[in-house]
Amino acid sequence: MTNISARHPFGVLGVALSFWNPRGKSNQTFLEVIESTFPGRVLSSKVRRDITVSEASVYGKPVFEIAPTSRAAEDYRSLTKELLKRM
């Protein structure tokens, strides 16, 4: 398997995982594949599955407007802080 960074020369600040199921059976295998593709780039903040993301999409509004105290909003805030620290 060819590494994506070999085919596409670009810098990756971080890899964010969304629709994350903390109890997923294949999490470790999935993380290993992502980590081998983007070594050291997988962000520790993960956006968990949350119905409010779908609801926000239906209304065409940000999740912060639809459900500012939801798990998804909390996860996106955490992800934003982590990305800002990397910049």
Side-chain angles (χ1 to χ4, degrees):
M1 178 162 79
T2 304
N3 189 321
I4 192 168
S5 61
R7 295 188 316 249
H8 303 285
F10 57 87
V12 176
L13 182 62
V15 177
L17 302 177
S18 60
F19 302 108
W20 186 254
N21 179 357
R23 295 178 296 228
K25 292 181 182 178
S26 59
N27 285 354
Q28 190 57 40
T29 303
F30 180 71
L31 281 172
E32 287 170 8
V33 169
I34 299 299
E35 183 62 40
S36 70
T37 305
F38 298 99
R41 299 291 186 213
V42 178
L43 299 166
S44 61
S45 301
K46 295 169 182 57
V47 180
R48 296 167 284 182
R49 288 183 181 259
D50 191 332
I51 190 67
T52 59
V53 174
S54 297
E55 291 170 349
S57 179
V58 166
Y59 293 111
K61 305 235 181 218
V63 71
F64 299 105
E65 193 173 313
I66 298 295
T69 60
S70 66
R71 270 190 333 194
E74 176 184 313
D75 291 347
Y76 279 114
R77 278 187 201 91
S78 176
L79 178 61
T80 301
K81 288 176 186 175
E82 187 175 353
L83 284 169
L84 288 172
K85 284 181 184 177
R86 286 194 178 204
M87 295 180 90

